[in-house]
Amino acid sequence: MIHSLFLVNASGDIFLEKHWKSVVSRSVCDYFFEAQERATEPENVPPVIPTPHHYLISVLRHRIYFVAVIQSEVPPLFVIEFLHRVVDTFQDYFGVCTEAAIKDNVVVVYELLEEMLDNGFPLATESNILKELIKPPTILRTMVNTITGSTNVGEQLPTGQLSVVPWRRTGVKYTNNEAYFDVVEEIDAIIDKSGSTITAEIQGVIDACVKLTGMPDLTLSFMNPRLLDDVSFHPCVRFKRWEAERILSFIPPDGNFRLLSYHVSSQNLVAIPVYVKHNITFREGSSQGRFDLTLGPKQTMGKAVESVLVSSQLPRGVLNANLNPSQGTYTFDPVTKLLSWDVGKINPQKLPSLKGTMSLQAGASKPDENPTINIQFKIQQMAISGLKVNRLDMYGEKYKPFKGIKYMTKAGKSVLQRMHIVNCK
Amino acid sequence: MSASSAFNDEKGGSSSVGEPEYGHDPASGGIFSSDYKRHDDLKEMLDSNKDSLKLEAMKRIVAMIARGKNASDLFPAVVKNVACKNIEVKKLVYVYLVRYAEEQQDLALLSISTFQRGLKDPNQLIRASALRVLSSIRVTIIVPIMMLAIKEAASDMSPYVRKTAAHAIPKLYSLDPEQKDQLIEVIEKLLADKTTLVAGSVVMAFEEVCPERIDLIHKNYRKLCNLLIDVEEWGQVVIINMLTRYARTQFLNPNINGGGGEKTFYGSDEDEDEDEEEKEKKPYVMDPDHRLLLRNTKPLLQSRNAAVVMAVAQLYFHLAPKAEVALLILFEMISTLYTCGMFEPYLKSFYIRSTDPTQIKVLKLEVLTNLANETNISTILREFQTYIKSMDKDFVAATIQAIGRCATNIGEVRDTCLNGLVQLLSNRDELVVAESVVVIKKLLQMQPEKHSDIIKHMAKLTDNIQVPMARASILWLIGEYCEHVPKIAPDVLRKMAKSFTNEEDIVKLQIINLAAKLYLTNSKQTKLLTQYVLNLAKYDQNYDIRDRARFIRQLIVPTEKSGALSKYAKKLFLALKPAPVLESPFKDRDHFQLGSLSHLLNAKAGGYQELPDWPEAAPDPSVRNVEVKESVRAVGTVTYRDTGALWGPQKMEGSEESDSASGSESGSGSEESGSGSESEESEEGSESEEEEEEEEEKDKKKKKKELKKPVPETESLVTDLEGLSLSDSVLSPATIAPSSVLKNYELLHRITGEGLSVEYCFSRQPFSPDANMVAVQMQFTNSATSDTKNLHMEDVKLQSGMRVKEFPEIGEREPEDIQCTAMAVMGIDFCDSTQAANFQLCTHTRKFFVSIQPPVGELMRPIFLTENEFKKEQGQLMGMNEITEKLTLDAKCRNEHAIVQRVTTAANLSRVPCGSDKECRFAGRTVTSSSLVLVTVATKEEGAAQLTVNCEKMVIGTMLVKDILLALTQ
């Protein structure tokens, strides 16, 4: 399956390589660099690159390319999904997954990769199992190890490896038993120039942090489970129970994990909590254009809209922008033509606005492309789909855990408002 | 820390790649001598006695390997440490060995004996990793050793080691393909393995070594289908892909006679009735095994792993009746599915965002185009209009092409599209205009007569448009339809003749074409122009153009020499050309298996397995039948974990049962691992009454449900599993202790209980809520005429330290249920003593004092030990902890099988493998304190035997000796 893995940083250096079968020369990456050069944006590098003898499958995460080399037929998603799991594991171990972190922990990284794949086929990818085999590096442990000479490597087969619940290690003990669930919903939407929603969808996840002693069996029920129409579960969730009763019943892994991700489709009406009014005009015969942007909240159930960030790629003809925000700060990059306005919190009494003029390049024709505005925001204590957790119960253990549930809504990758530029004669 | 410092030492050159690195690196130096020196200090460290120094050195070496530097000259120094006691050093040495063994084969052989020793280690992790490294060393000389090791490991007790063996098979195969036959034997053996852990890996090996031996799958097909849900996700992908291929060879095409009908028939059992109807109507009957596969893979669509979802999607695409494919799956290569209208509701999901990367944009566009039909075309076109204003010009071009394709596919909108495209012709961006011209050309070709004004409009554009492709297209259009624009055409040619020398080649060729066509239709006006153009072309630099000019001159200008062809010149040039079909660039991919690499690349990748066509007639389905094995095999010889796999299907099929928390015996996963733990769980959890109450309430409801019709429920479970070889073992959860072994004790007699009788047995199942408790299974039978309500426990009296997990209250029972029995499971922590637990059993009217006293044999749970481990542990439990008794065996109990049976009945122990047939060994741990209990029965001549019990807890030991003596002598 996976022959080798190369880690390539943003400047095109291979800073780590690992081979599971015969060594593949790092010159195979030249094909990758070629494709990288051809791509205008870093994300535009094709995920699968055929070369005469190998195939390169890559993912870009945290500005690092993870390039897997394979030689024969394998489902590409299999490799991509595995690479993402590798990144998640690194992040789990080192807190961040940066080039520096990987280089500093190169031995742990190597040990991890060795455990995760055998002969190119995934062996152990559950974080709980890996953590028993190779303990995550902490400053304290490193110090203890240097003094006592003990190691970071487990000597026993992790208990999870053989059980039917491989995601949970046994013998877990906590003095404070806690279970926290974060319901995070991200909206992706396209809004047309008049302000009506063309398409909107919600991607939601429930991330959990469970620190419970022993072998607890949890059930989580929702007030309105019918909302969720496309769900995918952590393997711990009992599928049949969900089918029959719409209840999540599971033995949780220890620590942080993603319990559920779901999708609320455009069929259910999704209300976008923010609206944008815009007015961009260019007048014939003048190199100046007027720019006027106003933001406002809508349907937020009284919750404040925070961390609002508006960004837009202005037409190429725009030379500079001279704008005046009523709050927050704005920047305009004359090279990339990227306008971004950090609004902060929206005050419904006094709506934030950004007004001013744009100057066009001398002699340039009036722009005829329509730019889009991308809006970022956050709303605490609200799930925009209306999803509510009804209750969380624990079976199997005697103690009473501390339970907490938090809701948050934020803009996904793209809440896009299409703009319309008016060219007046 | 040490690792980071190791890295910093060498950081000097990390900014550059490859070779130059050496030059900049202060540590390595550019000169060989200093390079040599640096390795010298590493060698010194490796040779030292201190583990910490060795570790430090190994870490630095691994960091070097990670950066792709050559560390091969350290091989002899490193290989010496392969037997190092420090496990981390050992692991790093393994990493090094695997990397360099291929280059230094002779030296690598030095390490082999260490691995061979490791293969016999009592620790399963060490056995497994020894096998992993041994099989990863690509040295041909050791092939026989590897073969032997794999064979041995394939029958190892630990499923983890067996998994590693499965992984080793493809490694050996790639090293020496001649071993194939032997390897297939091992694969066959491992395929029969029942654990989920092994399943994925062995199928992977099967796919790599012998994908053509489909016959090996027959016997394991149903088992694989049933285990699938519990296999780890990577294994699932491989198994699903393999089963897709298998199903294609073994089952009939469900779509062959009119498709699979309108009904979907996977999923819940409610559909079953509808199914029957359907079957009657149609001659095609789906093989139950085919359905089993479809039904068991469906839940995996909910997997978090995209690869699994994709695998299931392709399985449905290739195997399911068309009506069943209507599942929502958003995946990249959707474009192949354009025959089905099933994605229409999800149209808007494919609307393009300006933040998408270009390749995704293009794919989405593809999808939108394929989904377009009469009803939704107007929305799609409106959406396309916004795209045209996008700033990404490549994307705009792709959009225009998409509009062209929509226009060709849907006749109604052709005019609208054409008008829209014509408007684009006045766009300021040249690329957009050019692309539109090309598309318009193709569209016009379909119905030229109607659109002469568009052609005229385009003729005007020749003055402005500079993009060669567009100019060429316009010229071709004018030439082709010169009869529709008789006045303009010669004028265009005149202009072109003027600029001929400055045009691009492709435009020049079209100018010649235009000239030729005009000459043939309107020679009066254009004769001179044509000759002028041909003359220019005659001296062109490009030989294609010179050739074309020469050819055309001969063909169209009549001379005496010109042959018969010139008569047909007009026919040749102005023949009606078929309109082009605008096709998706993603066409023609459907012959590859969906979701495969080959499919993505549209080229066959190495190792791609063709998806076979459906067979004409179904092969014999009986090959998949498996004889039901007797549970004899299970006695003592099965590892405890073996049951793990068997729980899997139950989790699926009987969810209600498995999920009734703290309730019935099948808490599936939780118990399983709970029992496997070394049980260091906290003894006391802070009890909270409130919590308890809530729990109770919930349970009440659930119990009620269960009680209402417990019998039919189990029945449906049985029917569900019918035909599966597994069903037996699944339903009797007593692989270790066959159900006959379980002894029933009476808790409440029918007469004292006034119609209510209660029996209990020690189910020998791990008790999921608390691994320190012994599970007691109670069976309530109500034979009275009045109904019994609110069965619950009260007033529990225990010795100090003991704890009880009460069974949830059993609620009201309707009079008609009077005869039915109810089951409940409670847990008691006996603190490793045989003291009785006393409590009151209460109904809504009466209370009964009862007590449960465990036989000593039930206070333990079986563990698995190897012979070596057993001997080692026994060696530590000598002296006071050892009790030996001589006995004469009962006449019926002189063979090994009977002895094993009797001992395991008397005590909940598992058998330890043993070399000699004169000895039977058993091992277990006490439930509460996890103290080891080891039992040995050595047989001698004429029924004489010696019983040895080694146990830390002497009281338990003595009592156990008594019990086993009794069991063996009576």
Side-chain angles (χ1 to χ4, degrees):
Chain A
M1 289 238 162
I2 298 171
H3 259 247
S4 305
L5 176 72
F6 293 99
L7 267 51
V8 179
N9 65 14
S11 52
D13 299 331
I14 302 170
F15 65 92
L16 189 119
E17 61 178 71
K18 169 93 183 110
H19 308 274
W20 284 274
K21 299 187 182 181
S22 294
V23 179
V24 177
S25 156
R26 56 163 65 191
S27 62
V28 75
C29 286
D30 291 348
Y31 294 99
F32 177 78
F33 295 135
E34 244 168 60
Q36 198 187 4
E37 251 167 53
R38 243 178 285 131
T40 42
E41 299 283 320
E43 304 87 55
N44 279 357
V45 178
V48 181
I49 304 169
T51 78
H53 302 291
H54 301 93
Y55 303 93
L56 306 177
I57 299 185
S58 62
V59 299
L60 173 68
R61 292 269 304 260
H62 308 283
R63 304 185 60 228
I64 300 172
Y65 290 99
F66 292 76
V67 186
V69 181
I70 57 168
Q71 204 159 28
S72 57
E73 175 63 46
V74 51
L77 268 178
F78 182 98
V79 182
I80 289 175
E81 189 75 23
F82 176 80
L83 291 176
H84 282 298
R85 202 60 63 82
V86 171
V87 182
D88 293 342
T89 310
F90 289 170
Q91 214 167 358
D92 197 19
Y93 262 75
F94 314 128
V96 285
C97 179
T98 59
E99 187 184 347
I102 292 175
K103 279 180 166 178
D104 286 348
N105 297 292
V106 69
V107 176
V108 178
V109 166
Y110 235 67
E111 285 169 344
L112 276 175
L113 290 175
E114 186 73 28
E115 284 306 327
M116 289 179 85
L117 278 183
D118 180 18
N119 194 33
F121 190 76
L123 188 64
T125 49
E126 281 298 337
S127 136
N128 266 294
I129 290 181
L130 285 171
K131 280 189 175 158
E132 273 183 68
L133 278 172
I134 300 147
K135 310 220 168 58
T138 58
I139 295 175
L140 185 71
R141 181 166 301 124
T142 333
M143 279 187 5
V144 170
N145 285 350
T146 20
I147 298 164
T148 61
S150 57
T151 64
N152 272 335
V153 178
E155 291 191 37
Q156 284 297 326
L157 187 70
T159 41
Q161 185 67 273
L162 293 179
S163 86
V164 235
V165 279
W167 52 83
R168 187 166 183 92
R169 49 194 185 95
T170 48
V172 182
K173 260 185 203 170
Y174 287 105
T175 40
N176 295 326
N177 287 298
E178 315 162 304
Y180 297 106
F181 294 87
D182 288 355
V183 181
V184 182
E185 294 194 339
E186 295 191 351
I187 307 181
D188 283 306
I190 305 176
I191 307 159
D192 78 357
K193 54 199 175 204
S194 62
S196 54
T197 311
I198 294 178
T199 161
E201 53 188 17
I202 297 171
Q203 297 287 352
V205 295
I206 299 182
D207 282 333
C209 175
V210 176
K211 296 183 171 173
L212 296 176
T213 308
M215 193 60 70
D217 196 335
L218 302 180
T219 57
L220 186 77
S221 63
F222 298 103
M223 305 273 263
N224 36 13
R226 304 278 158 197
L227 270 178
L228 317 174
D229 60 1
D230 186 13
V231 282
S232 66
F233 301 120
H234 189 275
C236 69
V237 176
R238 293 179 182 118
F239 176 69
K240 276 277 155 130
R241 189 92 188 265
W242 169 257
E243 280 267 279
E245 302 167 63
R246 298 274 148 176
I247 283 176
L248 293 178
S249 154
F250 55 98
I251 295 169
D254 185 37
N256 294 313
F257 66 103
R258 175 155 296 174
L259 177 66
L260 164 83
S261 50
Y262 60 90
H263 179 244
V264 180
S265 72
S266 42
Q267 263 84 359
N268 301 334
L269 262 179
V270 176
I272 316 293
V274 180
Y275 70 86
V276 181
K277 275 191 198 151
H278 69 277
N279 186 8
I280 302 170
T281 27
F282 288 101
R283 214 163 274 284
E284 193 69 29
S286 129
S287 64
Q288 294 281 314
R290 267 191 33 227
F291 185 94
D292 189 343
L293 203 68
T294 311
L295 289 176
K298 81 182 174 190
Q299 290 159 318
T300 60
M301 297 189 265
K303 305 283 194 286
V305 185
E306 296 167 355
S307 321
V308 182
L309 181 75
V310 175
S311 58
S312 175
Q313 181 86 42
L314 294 183
R316 268 171 297 176
V318 176
L319 188 67
N320 211 341
N322 185 14
L323 304 172
N324 189 17
S326 70
Q327 71 179 75
T329 52
Y330 87 98
T331 53
F332 177 72
D333 185 340
V335 182
T336 57
K337 314 290 180 202
L338 189 71
L339 173 77
S340 73
W341 175 27
D342 189 350
V343 185
K345 194 169 167 178
I346 294 183
N347 177 1
Q349 267 74 50
K350 191 174 161 291
L351 297 179
S353 66
L354 183 68
K355 290 179 186 165
T357 56
M358 294 179 294
S359 52
L360 283 179
Q361 252 151 355
S365 51
K366 301 286 172 282
D368 59 356
E369 315 99 320
N370 282 341
T372 50
I373 305 177
N374 194 359
I375 310 157
Q376 298 287 321
F377 56 82
K378 243 182 229 173
I379 304 171
Q380 303 281 1
Q381 291 151 20
M382 179 181 93
I384 192 80
S385 68
L387 187 76
K388 271 232 145 55
V389 172
N390 185 22
R391 57 184 296 153
L392 175 72
D393 297 303
M394 189 182 71
Y395 303 98
E397 295 289 335
K398 279 256 169 89
Y399 54 83
K400 187 175 182 176
F402 187 82
K403 305 178 268 193
I405 288 170
K406 211 168 74 182
Y407 297 93
M408 184 160 78
T409 298
K410 58 183 182 183
K413 270 200 204 104
S414 50
V415 173
L416 297 174
Q417 160 111 38
R418 290 176 178 161
M419 292 200 286
H420 183 57
I421 292 183
V422 185
N423 287 316
C424 304
K425 293 268 171 194
Chain B
M1 250 185 181
S2 46
S4 77
S5 70
F7 205 90
N8 287 334
D9 288 349
E10 302 170 349
K11 230 170 198 168
S14 63
S15 57
S16 57
V17 218
E19 293 314 308
E21 227 169 24
Y22 287 99
H24 292 283
D25 198 320
S28 67
I31 320 159
F32 276 103
S33 58
S34 72
D35 192 44
Y36 197 66
K37 234 179 233 164
R38 180 190 59 158
H39 286 177
D40 257 0
D41 76 325
L42 281 176
K43 274 180 196 157
E44 227 165 76
M45 286 162 85
L46 286 171
D47 286 341
S48 78
N49 296 324
K50 275 193 184 159
D51 277 355
S52 59
L53 276 178
K54 284 183 180 174
L55 187 61
E56 178 66 29
M58 279 319 295
K59 280 183 170 173
R60 279 173 58 183
I61 294 169
V62 166
M64 273 164 68
I65 297 175
R67 294 171 61 212
K69 288 183 157 194
N70 188 7
S72 56
D73 51 342
L74 286 163
F75 202 95
V78 174
V79 85
K80 267 185 276 182
N81 289 303
V82 74
C84 179
K85 286 274 180 316
N86 183 315
I87 191 134
E88 195 168 12
V89 173
K90 206 171 192 166
K91 277 209 158 173
L92 296 176
V93 171
Y94 286 178
V95 169
Y96 182 92
L97 256 177
V98 172
R99 172 71 180 73
Y100 285 112
E102 208 174 5
E103 294 171 26
Q104 314 238 357
Q105 306 219 349
D106 295 342
L107 284 169
L109 293 179
L110 295 175
S111 59
I112 303 298
S113 61
T114 321
F115 299 130
Q116 282 177 308
R117 226 175 302 134
L119 287 172
K120 303 225 161 56
D121 198 283
N123 183 338
Q124 50 181 342
L125 184 64
I126 293 182
R127 283 205 303 281
S129 61
L131 180 63
R132 264 179 73 187
V133 183
L134 183 69
S135 55
S136 298
I137 295 176
R138 288 167 293 272
V139 178
T140 8
I141 302 177
I142 61 162
V143 164
I145 300 177
M146 271 163 81
M147 192 69 229
L148 211 66
I150 290 174
K151 276 185 181 164
E152 224 161 76
S155 41
D156 197 284
M157 294 298 168
S158 155
Y160 184 71
V161 178
R162 293 202 298 274
K163 184 187 176 74
T164 320
H167 278 266
I169 292 170
K171 296 186 210 171
L172 179 57
Y173 179 65
S174 69
L175 192 64
D176 182 9
E178 281 178 16
Q179 303 292 321
K180 187 170 174 176
D181 291 341
Q182 289 196 55
L183 285 175
I184 290 176
E185 276 169 35
V186 183
I187 290 176
E188 195 172 357
K189 184 172 179 188
L190 284 172
L191 272 173
D193 203 301
K194 287 208 171 80
T195 49
T196 47
L197 199 60
V198 184
S201 304
V202 67
V203 171
M204 173 69 218
F206 170 82
E207 289 282 79
E208 288 212 358
V209 179
C210 53
E212 72 284 351
R213 288 291 305 273
I214 212 87
D215 56 297
L216 294 180
I217 304 298
H218 293 321
K219 293 264 180 242
N220 302 298
Y221 174 80
R222 288 175 194 157
K223 184 193 69 190
L224 284 173
C225 285
N226 285 310
L227 289 185
L228 197 55
I229 189 91
D230 282 341
V231 175
E232 29 82 63
E233 41 204 327
W234 313 109
Q236 282 172 349
V237 178
V238 181
I239 295 177
I240 292 172
N241 279 329
M242 188 275 291
L243 288 180
T244 308
R245 227 158 24 83
Y246 177 82
R248 265 304 189 73
T249 60
Q250 300 299 319
F251 306 128
L252 288 176
N253 188 348
N255 297 316
I256 208 137
N257 27 22
E262 295 75 43
K263 298 250 163 57
T264 56
F265 46 55
Y266 49 80
S268 59
D269 299 297
E270 285 100 83
D271 289 352
E272 212 81 332
D273 305 9
E274 294 161 332
D275 261 343
E276 300 304 324
E277 285 171 30
E278 210 171 2
K279 273 187 208 161
E280 281 163 31
K281 269 186 280 170
K282 293 200 174 98
Y284 168 73
V285 179
M286 189 185 255
D287 190 312
D289 287 332
H290 191 168
R291 171 128 30 107
L292 178 76
L293 176 63
L294 291 177
R295 189 188 289 175
N296 280 1
T297 46
K298 196 195 160 209
L300 296 177
L301 278 175
Q302 241 89 29
S303 169
R304 63 173 167 174
N305 189 323
V308 177
V309 178
M310 184 68 203
V312 178
Q314 67 84 21
L315 179 122
Y316 265 78
F317 180 71
H318 289 297
L319 297 182
K322 277 287 171 281
E324 285 185 33
V325 188
L327 295 159
L328 162 66
I329 312 131
L330 303 179
F331 48 85
E332 315 152 285
M333 287 151 287
I334 220 154
S335 29
T336 44
L337 302 181
Y338 41 96
T339 45
C340 335
M342 61 209 196
F343 293 103
E344 250 187 82
Y346 309 106
L347 191 66
K348 286 187 172 173
S349 308
F350 296 106
Y351 278 11
I352 291 151
R353 303 158 199 285
S354 56
T355 44
D356 288 334
T358 310
Q359 35 192 328
I360 305 257
K361 282 181 187 168
V362 173
L363 277 168
K364 279 188 174 178
L365 208 56
E366 184 64 35
V367 175
L368 284 176
T369 320
N370 286 327
L371 291 180
N373 58 23
E374 282 83 356
T375 47
N376 60 21
I377 184 71
S378 53
T379 19
I380 291 185
L381 279 182
R382 213 173 309 131
E383 187 64 20
F384 280 175
Q385 268 172 5
T386 32
Y387 298 161
I388 286 168
K389 296 246 173 181
S390 156
M391 293 201 247
D392 183 343
K393 291 302 169 210
D394 292 339
F395 170 55
V396 174
T399 309
I400 294 171
Q401 281 176 5
I403 295 177
R405 274 182 40 217
C406 287
T408 42
N409 295 340
I410 301 159
E412 283 86 350
V413 291
R414 196 167 295 154
D415 291 343
T416 335
C417 289
L418 210 50
N419 286 335
L421 289 169
V422 171
Q423 275 170 27
L424 284 180
L425 291 177
S426 49
N427 195 293
R428 223 173 286 135
D429 194 286
E430 202 167 74
L431 267 168
V432 175
V433 179
E435 200 65 44
S436 324
V437 168
V438 177
V439 174
I440 289 175
K441 181 200 110 183
K442 290 178 182 165
L443 286 180
L444 284 183
Q445 222 178 324
M446 293 180 195
Q447 34 181 192
E449 42 314 311
K450 283 196 213 158
H451 299 293
S452 54
D453 48 332
I454 293 177
I455 301 179
K456 279 178 201 158
H457 181 84
M458 291 175 74
K460 283 182 204 152
L461 284 172
T462 44
D463 296 340
N464 303 323
I465 294 183
Q466 294 305 324
V467 180
M469 190 59 207
R471 286 176 79 86
S473 295
I474 295 176
L475 291 174
W476 183 88
L477 263 180
I478 293 171
E480 191 67 25
Y481 305 115
C482 51
E483 278 144 339
H484 300 289
V485 284
K487 287 190 182 143
I488 297 173
D491 202 43
V492 173
L493 180 63
R494 180 183 60 81
K495 280 187 183 165
M496 285 297 131
K498 246 164 97 181
S499 61
F500 184 86
T501 43
N502 300 325
E503 300 288 351
E504 289 281 327
D505 291 348
I506 180 172
V507 185
K508 284 177 179 170
L509 288 173
Q510 287 308 328
I511 295 175
I512 299 172
N513 262 352
L514 174 65
K517 283 172 184 167
L518 285 176
Y519 182 87
L520 289 172
T521 54
N522 185 2
S523 59
K524 229 189 259 167
Q525 275 186 302
T526 56
K527 192 173 176 192
L528 289 169
L529 271 174
T530 308
Q531 272 174 359
Y532 174 67
V533 170
L534 289 176
N535 281 335
L536 283 178
K538 195 173 167 186
Y539 300 105
D540 200 89
Q541 284 189 324
N542 185 307
Y543 45 78
D544 267 350
I545 295 171
R546 294 198 303 272
D547 280 356
R548 177 78 64 95
R550 207 173 301 135
F551 164 71
I552 282 174
R553 189 190 292 271
Q554 289 300 319
L555 200 61
I556 62 172
V557 185
T559 56
E560 313 85 66
K561 268 192 253 169
S562 64
L565 261 182
S566 62
K567 277 185 232 155
Y568 302 104
K570 194 164 183 174
K571 273 191 184 162
L572 279 174
F573 277 99
L574 293 172
L576 207 60
K577 290 159 186 94
V581 186
L582 296 182
E583 273 179 348
S584 153
F586 295 93
K587 220 181 140 264
D588 289 339
R589 293 196 170 197
D590 32 359
H591 53 281
F592 289 114
Q593 189 171 357
L594 207 62
S596 63
L597 181 64
S598 310
H599 181 265
L600 182 74
L601 298 168
N602 203 16
K604 202 174 162 183
Y608 173 75
Q609 296 289 326
E610 289 282 350
L611 201 60
D613 270 335
W614 296 101
E616 293 285 311
D620 182 16
S622 63
V623 288
R624 285 181 292 276
N625 295 343
V626 194
E627 321 85 66
V628 177
K629 280 193 190 129
E630 299 211 4
S631 51
V632 180
R633 181 188 103 88
V635 182
T637 54
V638 182
T639 67
Y640 186 75
R641 287 294 174 196
D642 259 354
T643 50
L646 302 178
W647 290 94
Q650 201 170 23
K651 177 169 149 193
M652 277 303 306
E653 307 284 349
S655 68
E656 232 158 277
E657 201 186 337
S658 74
D659 290 333
S660 53
S662 74
S664 56
E665 79 257 63
S666 54
S668 81
S670 57
E671 294 170 13
E672 194 40 41
S673 54
S675 68
S677 73
E678 295 301 310
S679 64
E680 299 157 359
E681 267 109 304
S682 66
E683 296 288 329
E684 289 294 326
S686 62
E687 277 193 33
S688 124
E689 271 158 56
E690 206 184 310
E691 187 79 325
E692 202 71 34
E693 261 170 35
E694 276 175 20
E695 225 167 272
E696 209 102 302
E697 241 172 58
K698 277 231 142 175
D699 285 333
K700 230 189 283 174
K701 283 179 206 152
K702 236 175 278 156
K703 265 287 139 35
K704 214 164 158 185
K705 216 157 89 213
E706 242 169 76
L707 268 176
K708 268 189 181 157
K709 43 164 195 158
V711 182
E713 215 166 280
T714 31
E715 240 170 37
S716 78
L717 221 152
V718 175
T719 35
D720 255 21
L721 292 166
E722 219 164 39
L724 310 180
S725 65
L726 276 173
S727 59
D728 278 38
S729 27
V730 169
L731 285 175
S732 64
T735 3
I736 301 154
S739 46
S740 61
V741 166
L742 296 182
K743 216 194 240 168
N744 274 329
Y745 304 86
E746 187 163 77
L747 190 64
L748 189 62
H749 192 262
R750 187 161 47 91
I751 295 168
T752 32
E754 292 169 7
L756 177 76
S757 73
V758 183
E759 288 193 326
Y760 68 93
C761 66
F762 296 92
S763 66
R764 295 194 173 180
Q765 295 298 318
F767 189 64
S768 65
D770 190 327
N772 287 348
M773 289 191 178
V774 176
V776 183
Q777 187 176 324
M778 298 208 246
Q779 188 171 356
F780 305 92
T781 315
N782 189 2
S783 46
T785 41
S786 61
D787 51 345
T788 311
K789 289 180 190 169
N790 305 44
L791 259 177
H792 63 281
M793 288 166 62
E794 241 177 49
D795 198 15
V796 184
K797 284 191 194 117
L798 299 168
Q799 302 293 323
S800 67
M802 282 167 67
R803 293 173 304 143
V804 163
K805 173 87 182 169
E806 299 172 21
F807 62 88
E809 182 174 295
I810 296 178
E812 216 167 319
R813 296 153 91 194
E814 312 295 320
E816 63 259 34
D817 286 329
I818 281 167
Q819 275 303 325
C820 87
T821 57
M823 305 273 263
V825 176
M826 61 184 288
I828 305 176
D829 181 357
F830 287 106
C831 271
D832 291 349
S833 78
T834 49
Q835 302 276 15
N838 301 311
F839 58 92
Q840 286 182 6
L841 192 66
C842 308
T843 68
H844 63 304
T845 47
R846 288 285 316 252
K847 293 182 176 183
F848 308 101
F849 286 94
V850 289
S851 76
I852 294 179
Q853 186 169 23
V856 66
E858 302 295 344
L859 294 176
M860 43 203 71
R861 55 189 164 74
I863 55 158
F864 176 74
L865 293 179
T866 61
E867 193 174 354
N868 285 339
E869 281 169 328
F870 186 91
K871 282 188 175 153
K872 198 174 130 202
E873 296 292 351
Q874 200 175 25
Q876 285 168 6
L877 290 171
M878 300 301 269
M880 266 167 46
N881 292 325
E882 187 174 86
I883 304 159
T884 312
E885 285 283 345
K886 290 223 163 74
L887 68 152
T888 319
L889 289 171
D890 180 35
K892 283 181 210 152
C893 174
R894 296 220 167 140
N895 62 7
E896 192 184 326
H897 177 67
I899 294 175
V900 170
Q901 181 110 35
R902 292 206 183 186
V903 174
T904 46
T905 313
N908 190 11
L909 297 170
S910 85
R911 183 156 180 213
V912 173
C914 169
S916 93
D917 52 351
K918 294 270 181 232
E919 268 189 0
C920 294
R921 294 177 182 152
F922 306 88
R925 277 185 193 279
T926 59
V927 171
T928 306
S929 61
S930 283
S931 326
L932 266 180
V933 181
L934 308 173
V935 175
T936 318
V937 182
T939 48
K940 287 169 196 155
E941 310 284 295
E942 289 174 22
Q946 181 174 323
L947 171 71
T948 314
V949 173
N950 301 71
C951 181
E952 219 173 287
K953 300 224 161 183
M954 281 179 287
V955 187
I956 297 243
T958 25
M959 283 197 285
L960 192 62
V961 167
K962 266 186 215 158
D963 278 11
I964 296 179
L965 266 182
L966 209 66
L968 289 175
T969 47
Q970 282 184 357

